[in-house]
Amino acid sequence: MATPTLLGHAPRVTRRLHRLFFLSPCGCRARYGRPRRAMADQQDKAALIAETRRRFEAEYLPDKSDKYDSRDVERLQQDDKWVENYLIWRHDVVDDTLKMIDESFQWRKEYTVNDLTESVLPKWLFESGALFLHGYDKEGYKLFWFKVKLHVRDQKQQLDKKKLVAFWLEHYAKRDHGKPLTVVFDMAETGISHIDLDFVRFIVNCFTDYYPNFLTKIVIFEMPWIMNAAFKIVKGWLGPDAISMLKFTNKSDVQEYISGEYLPPHMGGTDSFKYSYPPLVDDDFQTPLCENGPITSEDEHESKEEIDTETKESGDLNEEQNLNQKKMNSVEQISKSEENDKTEFKPKNAKKALTTFKGPLLHISPAEELYFGSKETGEKKCLIVLTNVTKNVVAFKVRTTAPEKYRVKPSNSSCEPGTSLDIIVSLHGGFSASLQDRFLIMAAEMDQSSGSGVPELAQFWKEVPRTKVMEHRLRCHVIESSKPSTLTLKENALNIPAKTNEDLHMQLTHLLQINKRLQEQIDRCLWFQQLSVVLSSLSVTIVAFCFYLAYSQRS
């Protein structure tokens, strides 16, 4: 992680905590050369991406430009992640990667993938419920369901059904930035009449040839024995690399891959989800309770008991903040008394460097994941930093798939132009985070005349067109517990709870963000200073020249 230069002027406790949370387990980043190796790998990957783009433009584009959608060609030149996924799926062999790009681009234009919308496809396709996205597997990957018993073979409808598959895959790829998904073939109550090898092959080809690095596994539930021969053919289509992704399951073992909360009752789960259309099935994002903040109109359904509970938590939060300040002072005193202590501490949990999603309205940090601890580690809070990069006020709201678990402060507010705002996400009560939990940040520009109060925001969200709303999704990452470090022993000796580390990490993250903003301000000041020096030098030169002319005329 690149540390802001101002961090060097922070108190010693900040530097010690920075080593604690962000250095390698051995306490020294460069000792084993890992960053240098990672940098070399990154440079190699960048070189492969550049070579792929150069060769595609030179070898494929001149002769086949009419067979590609110009939007795909443009995206290939701009989206590094997309090119990287092609390379990963073809084991970094550029020749094979180029062939896959060529084939997939021609397919994308043939099926008009970039123009597929709900209005283009027949409504009955969505109403049938044979294909949809819903829920997550145990690794946190989205589930793409194929209810085989609802599929009826009909050659006249085959093209529309294939376009429906492409619609869902493209819809999810754009929404979650290419994060892989898990395919579930629910074959309960199916027979020979439901076998459609042409359609199954199309689905398989979408993942093997058209959507690179987009598949984690294929879970096949209760496949009838009479279809064994058919799926031997499917294995041949998948190829040796993808065969390991096939998971044949039944009611007794399907929960090895998908937890019961996302399995319907006939699969041994408890998910009460019933497919219906419209609207388009999506994650069930709801507004979380706003911790220590106003209750918006979206939260009016909450009972008085919940509001009283939140008020009580507000008081607890203030007490906790005071306690955290005392803990900070205690730890700082410890660090001052141990200036000669050379012991390096092992981090309790591995932390990723802060990353930023750069959207058209807001920059959001972190870019992809919120880190929470398991029940053992006890990490309960995360920080989201929003930065308004527009010239107008931006309204935002935060939603989650698990509103009963989380408290968000603020959950519905606005951000002034050019400013940053911190959002605290905390687990409520005895709940723990899971990989299936998701957060949705919605943002839209407000008119200068619009107010930013609760009533104005509520009215704004009712009227703003969906096309003007920026959406960004964050997933949860659960950090597993580890053995107590030296710091934990010292905390116990001083009777400081283990939760101190997590609270300090939040404050450290906040401090790093402040340092980054200060660094930007200093850079601007230095630029103005340099400009002033140039202008001053120019002025002195002009004055000296004037004196010289005056002296020459007198002579």
Side-chain angles (χ1 to χ4, degrees):
M1 172 178 177
T3 308
T5 56
L6 288 179
L7 188 61
H9 303 292
R12 180 177 295 275
V13 63
T14 304
R15 294 195 295 271
R16 184 179 291 270
L17 287 171
H18 183 261
R19 291 198 305 272
L20 173 66
F21 287 109
F22 295 103
L23 298 189
S24 63
C26 61
C28 180
R29 275 182 160 185
R31 184 172 298 174
Y32 293 107
R34 290 175 184 169
R36 185 172 297 176
R37 177 67 257 168
M39 187 179 298
D41 292 341
Q42 190 173 4
Q43 290 173 348
D44 292 343
K45 184 64 69 176
L48 283 173
I49 291 173
E51 181 186 354
T52 301
R53 285 172 171 159
R54 178 184 58 78
R55 289 186 55 186
F56 180 79
E57 189 172 350
E59 299 173 18
Y60 288 84
L61 200 54
D63 298 330
K64 297 185 178 181
S65 59
D66 59 324
K67 297 181 179 180
Y68 304 147
D69 189 319
S70 60
R71 289 166 289 184
D72 291 331
V73 175
E74 183 179 356
R75 181 184 170 192
L76 188 76
Q77 297 299 329
Q78 297 176 353
D79 191 341
D80 289 352
K81 185 64 178 176
W82 203 29
V83 183
E84 184 179 347
N85 281 338
Y86 276 108
L87 285 164
I88 291 172
W89 206 236
R90 288 297 181 259
H91 306 291
D92 289 342
V93 178
V94 177
D95 287 339
D96 293 345
T97 301
L98 290 170
K99 291 177 183 177
M100 183 178 184
I101 293 173
D102 172 50
E103 187 176 348
S104 65
F105 275 23
Q106 292 190 51
W107 173 84
R108 290 175 66 85
K109 184 169 184 178
E110 179 187 353
Y111 279 81
T112 62
V113 172
N114 288 311
D115 297 314
L116 289 177
T117 62
E118 290 179 68
S119 59
V120 171
L121 296 170
K123 186 178 179 181
W124 65 265
L125 278 176
F126 293 99
E127 292 174 338
S128 69
L131 290 165
F132 58 89
L133 291 164
H134 172 68
Y136 302 89
D137 67 10
K138 284 192 170 182
E139 297 175 283
Y141 295 111
K142 191 73 177 176
L143 299 176
F144 184 37
W145 291 85
F146 179 24
K147 297 283 188 178
V148 181
K149 73 174 183 179
L150 300 178
H151 175 77
V152 179
R153 282 180 294 176
D154 188 337
Q155 197 61 35
K156 295 179 181 179
Q157 302 172 353
Q158 199 77 322
L159 181 59
D160 285 335
K161 290 182 179 180
K162 290 179 178 179
K163 285 188 174 183
L164 178 65
V165 175
F167 165 82
W168 276 117
L169 295 180
E170 191 69 11
H171 171 76
Y172 178 73
K174 290 179 178 178
R175 193 192 72 184
D176 275 51
H177 313 291
K179 181 176 170 60
L181 48 74
T182 294
V183 177
V184 182
F185 282 93
D186 181 2
M187 304 187 73
E189 302 177 17
T190 59
I192 290 291
S193 60
H194 299 101
I195 294 179
D196 189 346
L197 289 181
D198 178 56
F199 190 64
V200 172
R201 182 169 191 171
F202 176 81
I203 295 177
V204 170
N205 285 347
C206 282
F207 292 102
T208 57
D209 299 332
Y210 309 140
Y211 284 88
N213 201 30
F214 205 51
L215 178 67
T216 62
K217 66 182 78 69
I218 299 176
V219 178
I220 301 170
F221 179 76
E222 288 193 351
M223 186 184 73
W225 66 270
I226 202 168
M227 294 188 182
N228 283 336
F231 266 85
K232 285 182 180 179
I233 300 175
V234 174
K235 286 182 180 180
W237 296 335
L238 282 170
D241 292 337
I243 287 179
S244 60
M245 297 180 179
L246 281 176
K247 311 295 180 184
F248 293 92
T249 65
N250 52 42
K251 199 170 183 179
S252 63
D253 58 7
V254 67
Q255 294 197 34
E256 291 180 15
Y257 308 103
I258 307 169
S259 60
E261 63 180 311
Y262 287 118
L263 289 174
H266 77 271
M267 297 176 73
T270 58
D271 190 0
S272 58
F273 169 79
K274 299 291 183 184
Y275 180 88
S276 63
Y277 179 86
L280 198 66
V281 175
D282 199 350
D283 290 322
D284 188 19
F285 284 106
Q286 302 175 41
T287 302
L289 293 181
C290 181
E291 181 182 301
N292 195 24
I295 304 299
T296 67
S297 59
E298 290 179 277
D299 301 320
E300 289 177 354
H301 65 279
E302 295 167 7
S303 65
K304 186 175 183 300
E305 293 180 353
E306 289 175 319
I307 297 175
D308 292 340
T309 302
E310 186 173 349
T311 305
K312 181 179 178 182
E313 288 174 358
S314 174
D316 295 341
L317 177 65
N318 293 332
E319 293 179 7
E320 185 177 344
Q321 289 174 342
N322 294 333
L323 179 60
N324 289 342
Q325 186 62 42
K326 293 178 181 179
K327 293 174 183 176
M328 280 289 291
N329 294 337
S330 300
V331 175
E332 187 169 357
Q333 290 173 4
I334 294 171
S335 65
K336 288 180 179 179
S337 64
E338 296 178 351
E339 290 181 357
N340 298 323
D341 186 5
K342 303 298 181 181
T343 306
E344 297 290 351
F345 298 117
K346 294 184 179 180
K348 183 178 180 182
N349 294 318
K351 301 287 180 186
K352 280 191 176 180
L354 291 177
T355 55
T356 302
F357 166 77
K358 296 183 178 180
L361 305 181
L362 295 175
H363 287 185
I364 302 172
S365 181
E368 296 181 351
E369 294 182 329
L370 296 178
Y371 282 77
F372 289 95
S374 60
K375 289 184 178 180
E376 291 78 12
T377 58
E379 235 176 319
K380 298 291 184 181
K381 295 183 180 179
C382 283
L383 186 70
I384 303 174
V385 180
L386 305 182
T387 302
N388 184 348
V389 294
T390 72
K391 296 181 180 179
N392 298 317
V393 176
V394 172
F396 69 87
K397 58 183 177 180
V398 183
R399 292 187 168 187
T400 177
T401 56
E404 73 284 356
K405 289 185 180 182
Y406 298 96
R407 298 293 181 266
V408 178
K409 175 188 176 183
S411 64
N412 188 359
S413 186
S414 60
C415 189
E416 296 295 321
T419 62
S420 295
L421 183 142
D422 297 340
I423 298 175
I424 298 176
V425 180
S426 57
L427 281 162
H428 174 59
F431 287 107
S432 59
S434 68
L435 295 173
Q436 292 85 4
D437 297 342
R438 293 291 190 277
F439 286 85
L440 171 67
I441 298 174
M442 305 173 67
E445 279 188 284
M446 301 181 72
D447 295 331
Q448 297 290 352
S449 58
S450 303
S452 56
V454 173
E456 291 84 359
L457 286 172
Q459 187 63 29
F460 171 77
W461 285 112
K462 290 179 181 178
E463 298 174 352
V464 64
R466 188 170 180 83
T467 55
K468 294 185 177 181
V469 177
M470 182 195 101
E471 293 186 354
H472 182 66
R473 288 164 171 77
L474 297 170
R475 55 185 180 269
C476 291
H477 183 90
V478 180
I479 302 170
E480 298 300 329
S481 61
S482 58
K483 294 182 180 180
S485 63
T486 307
L487 182 61
T488 307
L489 298 176
K490 291 183 178 179
E491 286 172 344
N492 292 337
L494 293 169
N495 200 25
I496 300 176
K499 189 179 178 182
T500 304
N501 285 352
E502 287 71 40
D503 296 332
L504 293 181
H505 174 261
M506 269 196 61
Q507 295 182 21
L508 175 61
T509 304
H510 194 183
L511 177 62
L512 292 176
Q513 290 292 337
I514 293 173
N515 284 341
K516 182 179 178 181
R517 297 170 204 162
L518 291 175
Q519 181 63 42
E520 292 172 353
Q521 293 177 5
I522 287 177
D523 290 341
R524 285 196 292 269
C525 290
L526 289 175
W527 185 85
F528 281 115
Q529 184 182 37
Q530 292 170 355
L531 181 62
S532 301
V533 170
V534 173
L535 292 176
S536 299
S537 301
L538 185 60
S539 301
V540 170
T541 304
I542 293 172
V543 171
F545 182 69
C546 291
F547 275 115
Y548 172 76
L549 291 177
Y551 178 77
S552 300
Q553 290 175 356
R554 290 180 182 178
S555 301

